[in-house]
């Protein structure tokens, strides 16, 4: 080392360190985006609920939620349905996720394709299909009535509402569970059976406790998502099944009662926050991203859970042993496989059933259709209203995808490459739009965009869709970057490449699959998003989901089915493209 080098080293130690523009600062534009278009509007709802404009401070709207018998009944229905949906989704999804976790990566990808297709299919399209399939004149209803059942009363009750919401959210529940279940070391089960435990005891005492973080994460996401549901109760339910999402839309869009609508939004937000706090208490918030969690599980809860699982295992063990001795030719794994395939088939029913409805020769929707015809597609493509809505959805989807990937991509890069303590806080902040009901976000953006003159504009819709899509795309890009071998970039820098050249020639080509997957995901979320369009559209501009929503209540005819098939076709093509990209990026 020369004297000049030595003096430089001494100065670098003794002098006050200068400001460095590290990777974490790349997150600033993304953080500012969510601060403006997510956090500030959400906080504004809290103020709007207790501030009545000219009347000033008032708790009247919040008190009405609890004192009005009709409002209290709706709130009770909403939280009761959310809890019931959460329990049902977890109970239905866990065996399916467990079955998938026992298969190879190649088999998992194939099965997940079938599960994810209904997940990416619009809830509006699926519930519209159930509306026809369960209708009084449907073949299914006629079959039930021929067997002496109440086939004419399948619709407009709580049972069908629960079924519709659970059907929509089961794929999300499976997706949320799978990372944790795949991380459980299966050799632990083999070790337990080697030491004398039965397969049943090994599952209840080892596998289930190790997978509980995934179960809790799935339950949290399902509970929060179901709180804001309004499509299913509006289409399949009666006034007795009215949920708070329907009241929010009525208060703001129809009655222009912004304070009362905000009060309902505050109650939804409070319910979501309580759920998140309970989750953080037991697992730690970072567990949502598959991490280990910043806080350790509550020891009392953990001990209670382990004792409960052990006792359940002791109860089921003789039952399982008796089954194996009685049905020797039908192992339990085969029953589990049949159950899983049945669940997947039910998930695909509305996706498949909507297609023949669009080709009906009749003037009314029916399944099966009386004949084949393309007349309703001709009507769809000849309608300037439908074409304008379709073109706007495509344009907004492309713009949303571009904006979202820039925001989420730069922040994901900053989180991965930064060693700063701020990275953890940024991660949780960017996950927060996922744990706030979309209705609450929509109300907040409605207030903000009204002040910015962005109501009934394409720019407002793009910004709103981007807020909804950001956390999902952030997770996709973050996972891709975490799987990238950064030693290749270090080698390029060592050989003389500049950071910019290393990024564009090494990093970007290797992570391009994740970037494309993020773009397609953001487009799909935007293309099917209805909640933002209901509030930000202002009733003046309409997207394809908004046009579908309006026509379902105004005039139900097979044109709706034709438009639904167009939506399904776009979703299917992009979904398969995303899966092909994922297939080539992952090892077999």
């Amino acid at each position: 080392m020369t004297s000049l080098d030595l003096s430089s080293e001494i100065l670098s130690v003794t002098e006050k360190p200068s400001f460095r523009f590290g990777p974490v600062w790349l997150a600033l534009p993304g953080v500012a985006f969510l601060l403006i278009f997510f956090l500030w509007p959400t906080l504004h709802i809290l103020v709007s609920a207790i501030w009545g404009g000219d009347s000033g401070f008032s708790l009247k709207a919040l008190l009405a939620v609890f004192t009005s018998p009709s409002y209290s009944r709706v709130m009770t229905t909403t939280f009761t349905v959310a809890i019931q949906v959460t329990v049902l989704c977890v109970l239905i999804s866990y065996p399916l996720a467990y079955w998938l976790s026992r298969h190879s990566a190649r088999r998992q990808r194939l099965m997940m394709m079938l599960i994810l297709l209904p997940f990416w299919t619009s809830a509006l399209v699926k519930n519209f299909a159930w509306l026809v399939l369960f209708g009084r004149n449907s073949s299914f209803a006629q079959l039930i009535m021929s067997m002496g059942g109440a086939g004419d009363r399948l619709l407009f009750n709580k049972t069908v509402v629960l079924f519709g919401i659970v059907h929509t959210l089961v794929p999300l529940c499976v997706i949320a569970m799978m990372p944790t279940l795949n991380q459980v070391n299966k050799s632990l089960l083999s070790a337990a059976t080697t030491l004398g435990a039965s397969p049943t005891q090994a599952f209840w005492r080892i596998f289930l406790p190790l997978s509980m973080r995934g179960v809790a994460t799935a339950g949290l996401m399902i509970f929060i998502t179901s709180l804001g549901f309004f499509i299913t109760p509006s289409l399949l339910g009666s006034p007795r099944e009215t949920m708070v999402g329907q009241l929010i839309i009525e208060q703001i869009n129809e009655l222009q009662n912004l304070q009362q609508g905000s009060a309902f939004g505050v109650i939804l937000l409070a319910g979501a926050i309580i759920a998140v706090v309970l989750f953080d208490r037991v697992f730690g918030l970072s567990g949502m991203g598959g991490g280990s969690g910043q806080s350790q599980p509550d020891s009392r809860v953990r001990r209670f859970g382990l004792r409960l699982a052990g006792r359940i295992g002791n109860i089921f063990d003789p039952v399982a042993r008796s089954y194996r001795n009685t049905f020797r030719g039908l192992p339990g794994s085969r029953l589990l496989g049949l159950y899983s395939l049945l669940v997947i088939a039910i998930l695909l029913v509305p996706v498949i059933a909507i297609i023949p409805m669009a080709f009906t020769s009749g003037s009314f929707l029916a399944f099966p259709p009386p004949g084949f015809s393309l007349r309703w597609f001709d009507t769809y493509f000849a309608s300037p209203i439908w074409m304008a809505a379709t073109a706007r959805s495509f344009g907004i989807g492309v713009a949303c995808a571009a904006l979202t990937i820039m925001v989420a991509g730069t922040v994901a890069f900053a989180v991965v490459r930064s060693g700063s303590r701020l990275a953890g806080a940024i991660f949780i902040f960017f996950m927060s739009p996922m744990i706030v009901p979309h209705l609450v976000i929509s109300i907040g953006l409605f207030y903000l965009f009204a002040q910015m003159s962005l109501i009934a504009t394409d720019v407002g819709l793009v910004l709103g869709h981007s807020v909804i899509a950001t956390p999902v795309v952030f997770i996709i890009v973050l996972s891709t970057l975490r799987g990238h071998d950064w030693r290749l970039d270090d080698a390029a820098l060592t050989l003389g490449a500049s950071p910019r050249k290393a990024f564009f020639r090494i990093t970007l080509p290797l992570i391009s699959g994740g970037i494309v997957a993020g773009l397609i995901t953001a487009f799909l979320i935007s293309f099917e998003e209805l909640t933002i369009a209901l509030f930000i559209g202002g009733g003046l501009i309409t997207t394809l989901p908004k046009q579908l929503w309006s026509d379902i209540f105004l005039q139900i005819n097979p044109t709706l089915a034709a438009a639904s098939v167009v939506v399904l076709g776009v979703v299917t093509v992009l979904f398969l493209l995303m899966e092909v990209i994922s297939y080539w990026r992952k090892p077999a």
Side-chain angles (χ1 to χ4, degrees):
M1 179 179 289
T2 64
S3 60
L4 181 59
D5 293 333
L6 182 59
S7 62
S8 299
E9 292 290 337
I10 295 174
L11 286 173
S12 66
V13 174
T14 57
E15 288 181 353
K16 184 178 180 180
S18 59
F19 174 81
R20 292 183 61 192
F21 189 83
V24 71
W25 298 104
L26 292 174
L28 281 181
V31 170
F33 175 80
L34 284 191
L35 284 174
I36 296 172
F37 297 111
F38 167 68
L39 185 60
W40 173 250
T42 303
L43 294 177
H44 192 269
I45 295 176
L46 304 176
V47 177
S48 301
I50 60 175
W51 192 266
D54 296 336
S55 60
F57 176 80
S58 173
L59 295 175
K60 180 180 179 181
L62 281 174
L63 293 176
V65 175
F66 302 101
T67 57
S68 169
S70 59
Y71 289 168
S72 297
R73 184 172 61 253
V74 171
M75 296 303 301
T76 302
T77 300
T78 299
F79 282 91
T80 301
V81 167
I83 294 172
Q84 292 172 332
V85 165
T86 302
V87 173
L88 289 172
C89 281
V90 169
L91 292 178
I92 293 170
S93 301
Y94 189 87
L96 174 57
Y98 175 70
W99 178 73
L100 286 171
S101 70
R102 299 174 62 184
H103 287 80
S104 65
R106 186 185 298 274
R107 181 68 62 85
Q108 279 192 32
R109 283 197 296 267
L110 178 61
M111 292 295 105
M112 286 302 293
M113 284 180 61
L114 299 177
I115 295 171
L116 286 170
L117 181 58
F119 172 70
W120 283 117
T121 301
S122 170
L124 189 60
V125 172
K126 288 181 291 189
N127 284 283
F128 174 62
W130 290 126
L131 189 66
V132 177
L133 292 173
F134 289 157
R136 181 176 301 179
N137 297 321
S138 67
S139 300
F140 182 65
Q142 296 296 325
L143 176 63
I144 296 294
M145 285 189 286
S146 67
M147 298 171 62
D152 57 339
R153 295 195 295 273
L154 295 177
L155 289 173
F156 314 124
N157 55 68
K158 186 176 181 179
T159 300
V160 75
V161 169
L162 284 174
F163 173 82
I165 299 177
V166 169
H167 181 276
T168 300
L169 295 181
V170 159
L172 175 62
C173 196
V174 174
I175 294 168
M177 289 181 183
M178 283 305 298
T180 303
L181 267 65
N182 280 330
Q183 290 172 6
V184 176
N185 189 348
K186 307 302 188 297
S187 62
L188 296 176
L189 301 179
S190 301
T193 54
T194 302
L195 294 173
S198 67
T200 304
Q201 290 174 329
F203 170 80
W204 286 98
R205 291 177 179 270
I206 296 176
F207 191 92
L208 183 63
L210 291 176
S211 64
M212 279 308 298
R213 182 186 299 280
V215 175
T217 301
L220 176 66
M221 295 178 66
I222 297 302
F223 177 77
I224 292 175
T225 304
S226 57
L227 280 179
F229 249 67
F230 64 93
I231 295 175
T232 302
S234 296
L235 296 182
L236 304 181
S238 68
R240 292 189 301 274
E241 288 77 48
T242 299
M243 295 180 66
V244 70
Q246 297 164 266
L247 286 186
I248 291 175
I249 294 173
E250 177 186 7
Q251 292 292 329
I252 294 181
N253 284 359
E254 298 177 16
L255 303 179
Q256 302 297 310
N257 190 345
L258 303 183
Q259 188 178 21
Q260 191 62 59
S262 297
F264 288 127
V266 167
I267 301 302
L268 285 187
L269 184 59
I273 291 174
I274 292 173
V276 171
V277 169
L278 292 175
F279 180 90
D280 183 51
R281 171 76 176 174
V282 180
F283 295 100
L285 274 178
S286 64
M288 290 193 65
S292 59
Q294 292 180 344
S295 60
Q296 295 298 321
D298 187 290
S299 58
R300 291 170 298 176
V301 175
R302 182 175 178 81
R303 288 196 300 269
F304 173 76
L306 290 174
R307 286 198 301 268
L308 179 62
R311 290 180 180 179
I312 294 176
N314 292 335
I315 293 173
F316 275 90
D317 189 43
V319 176
R321 189 181 301 111
S322 175
Y323 173 84
R324 287 194 297 268
N325 294 333
T326 305
F327 302 95
R328 295 180 180 275
L330 187 61
S333 58
R334 187 171 298 177
L335 278 180
L336 180 61
L338 291 174
Y339 166 84
S340 301
L341 293 175
L342 177 62
V343 172
I344 293 174
I346 294 174
L347 291 177
L348 290 170
V349 165
V351 179
I352 297 173
I354 196 70
I355 298 174
M357 295 182 198
F359 294 93
T360 181
S361 60
S363 299
F364 301 97
L365 285 167
F367 186 87
F372 177 85
S373 174
L374 295 174
R375 59 182 288 201
W376 301 109
F377 282 95
D378 293 336
T379 302
Y380 168 77
F381 286 108
S383 169
I385 296 177
W386 282 108
M387 287 296 97
T390 304
R392 175 170 286 111
S393 288
F394 270 99
I396 290 174
V398 171
C400 171
L403 176 60
T404 304
I405 201 67
M406 286 190 293
V407 171
T410 53
V411 175
F413 183 85
V415 169
V416 170
R417 295 299 286 168
S418 172
S420 171
R421 294 180 180 178
L422 291 175
I426 293 173
F427 169 81
I428 293 176
F429 181 54
F430 261 72
M431 291 292 292
S432 55
M434 187 180 289
I435 56 179
V436 174
H438 290 181
L439 269 171
V440 175
I441 297 175
S442 300
I443 299 170
L445 288 174
F446 178 81
Y447 284 116
L448 177 65
F449 289 168
Q451 298 173 355
M452 301 172 65
S453 300
L454 290 177
I455 297 295
T457 65
D458 291 342
V459 173
L461 290 173
V462 169
L463 292 172
H465 290 182
S466 298
V467 173
I468 300 295
T470 290
V472 181
V473 177
F474 172 68
I475 288 297
I476 292 174
V477 180
L478 186 70
S479 300
T480 302
L481 291 173
R482 282 177 173 170
H484 174 64
D485 189 352
W486 293 99
R487 293 174 298 180
L488 299 174
D489 300 70
D490 296 336
L493 295 174
T494 303
L495 294 173
S498 65
R500 180 177 177 274
K501 184 174 292 186
F503 175 78
F504 282 101
R505 293 197 176 184
I506 305 294
T507 309
L508 189 58
L510 292 175
I511 67 170
S512 58
I515 299 296
V516 174
L519 284 168
I520 295 175
T521 300
F523 179 88
L524 288 174
I525 292 174
S526 172
F527 193 72
E528 297 181 346
E529 173 57 40
L530 173 63
T531 312
I532 296 291
L534 287 174
F535 288 88
I536 309 304
L540 300 177
I541 63 174
T542 183
T543 60
L544 190 52
K546 175 62 169 61
Q547 188 62 37
L548 281 168
W549 174 260
S550 300
D551 271 37
I552 285 175
F553 291 100
L554 295 177
Q555 50 176 358
I556 295 182
N557 61 56
T559 308
L560 288 168
S564 299
V565 169
V566 171
V567 174
L568 179 61
V570 172
V571 169
T572 302
V573 170
L574 292 178
F575 166 73
L576 291 177
L577 176 60
M578 186 165 55
E579 288 301 307
V580 168
I581 294 171
S582 176
Y583 173 81
W584 288 110
R585 287 177 56 239
K586 293 180 180 179

